[in-house]
Amino acid sequence: NNSMILITGGAGYIGSHINKELNKKGYETIVIDNLINGHESAVKWGEFLEGDLNDFEFINSIFNSYDIEGVMHFAAFTSVAESVEFPAMYYKNNYKNTLNLLKAVKLANVNKLIFSSTAAVYGNPKKVPITENHPVNPINPYGKSKLMVETVLENESKSIDSDFKYVSLRYFNACGADPETEIGENHNPETHLIPLILDVAIEKREKIAIFGDDYETFDGTCIRDYIHVCDLAQAHIKAFEHLQEDETNKNPLKKSNIFNLGNGNGFSVKEVIAACEKVTGHKIKKELAEKREGDPAILIADSKKAIETLKWEPKFTDLNKIVETAWKWHKKLNE
Ligand code: UFG
């Protein structure tokens, strides 16, 4: 009976890529997803069980039925704007439901968990590139709900009688798709920059709105750190292996950790549009729009800690290469 990894939210954009990568590496997986935002068609590997983390009996029964070695926890609502509109819904889904998961994890004596966190925990950065020591100060309910989970994970990992260990991965701007186009980004409604631009390229949308061009950046548009979803996937596996190392050592503080995941390069909105024009060969119609509330001018990760500690080697550092994978998937999705 091989041990398995439970992936919550594994039918979603990021979770489905990690599911593929884990299976490629020979891990067995069980995906749970409530399919509110996920797609069952994205679960092409492992076992799939439809259900919600608010259902403790459901989660608990999974731990009772399978030999689960660890958990990768992606299930969450992820829209900043929606979180401002419906904060309670975000705290319930992202925080409260995670407490159910943790209760089942502890009852089953599962001691390894990888958490899908976000750069949104930093709020408006005081300094870029952002290291993990940068003070956390989320400015929206989405970021706050993720930080609340990080806090409880930290507390649990420090509780005396437990060998529970976790790694929290703070992603910057996840983008791109599986180069084999088996899975990719498919949000409804879509709010992310790259797929929106690609919608213009396939003439599904008329133009892309540039949210502000008088930021204090070299071209006036916001700079973000775009990290390829397959590089994120690799980091999750490295993080899990990091927790597997030294299993006999019962000091949980030794392994629990927080890592930023970015590619270390910032690109402006205009640069992303230009890369999409180059890769797709289509001229992208753009218009200047109002600034979006709560958008920091620059978010760039310092990912040195993940690179050094986890021996993580991000492969997609070139924006054109990232967009190429997104474009291939985007065409297939909209065929
Ligand atoms: N943008 C536009 N026009 C659009 C959409 C986006 O100009 O139509 C700009 C935004 O202002 C921003 C950049 O493109 O400067 C990227 O925007 P996204 O919406 O793609 O991503 P965000 O940086 O807002 O947010 C992402 C994730 C969040 C996460 C955050 C952390 O979606 O979940 O990164 O850095 F919290």
Side-chain angles (χ1 to χ4, degrees), residues 26-232:
Y27 287 95
E28 288 191 54
T29 60
I30 307 168
V31 167
I32 60 175
D33 203 295
N34 61 14
L35 301 180
I36 292 180
N37 291 315
H39 307 276
E40 192 170 350
S41 59
V43 190
K44 297 189 163 146
W45 306 269
E47 236 178 275
F48 176 62
L49 299 170
E50 183 176 346
D52 198 293
L53 292 182
N54 71 15
D55 182 352
F56 175 75
E57 291 313 320
F58 165 68
I59 313 165
N60 203 36
S61 71
I62 298 170
F63 284 99
N64 288 333
S65 315
Y66 299 87
D67 182 14
I68 292 174
E69 185 189 351
V71 177
M72 298 208 184
H73 178 34
F74 300 91
F77 292 144
T78 61
S79 156
V80 170
E82 191 181 54
S83 80
V84 174
E85 203 177 341
F86 305 107
M89 187 173 101
Y90 269 66
Y91 291 115
K92 179 170 185 303
N93 192 47
N94 294 4
Y95 177 66
K96 185 163 175 271
N97 291 351
T98 298
L99 298 182
N100 269 343
L101 173 66
L102 286 179
K103 187 172 156 192
V105 162
K106 293 201 80 178
L107 275 174
N109 286 317
V110 169
N111 68 352
K112 293 186 275 300
L113 185 140
I114 310 294
F115 178 56
S116 168
S117 190
T118 171
V121 298
Y122 296 113
N124 282 309
K126 292 198 171 69
K127 212 176 124 205
V128 287
I130 301 170
T131 64
E132 293 80 357
N133 297 327
H134 186 288
V136 286
N137 183 25
I139 55 169
N140 51 61
Y142 167 66
K144 286 180 187 172
S145 70
K146 288 282 181 178
L147 185 59
M148 285 165 77
V149 174
E150 283 199 2
T151 306
V152 70
L153 290 174
E154 186 192 350
N155 295 166
E156 286 289 351
S157 75
K158 287 182 177 167
S159 73
I160 309 273
D161 60 348
S162 136
D163 67 347
F164 176 76
K165 297 172 279 193
Y166 76 101
V167 169
S168 184
L169 300 174
R170 294 174 175 167
Y171 320 145
F172 283 64
N173 287 60
C175 59
D178 167 32
E180 292 161 11
T181 64
E182 290 186 284
I183 42 177
E185 190 163 13
N186 183 7
H187 295 113
N188 192 11
E190 188 52 78
T191 60
H192 296 101
L193 181 64
I194 293 175
L196 286 175
I197 300 171
L198 298 180
D199 272 348
V200 181
I202 59 167
E203 294 177 11
K204 189 170 158 186
R205 261 169 234 274
E206 199 202 334
K207 54 197 169 193
I208 185 76
I210 297 177
F211 296 151
D213 72 348
D214 59 355
Y215 284 97
E216 279 184 37
T217 61
F218 77 98
D219 69 5
T221 64
C222 286
I223 292 178
R224 292 289 178 273
D225 184 331
Y226 294 88
I227 174 76
H228 196 281
V229 66
C230 292
D231 284 334
L232 288 184

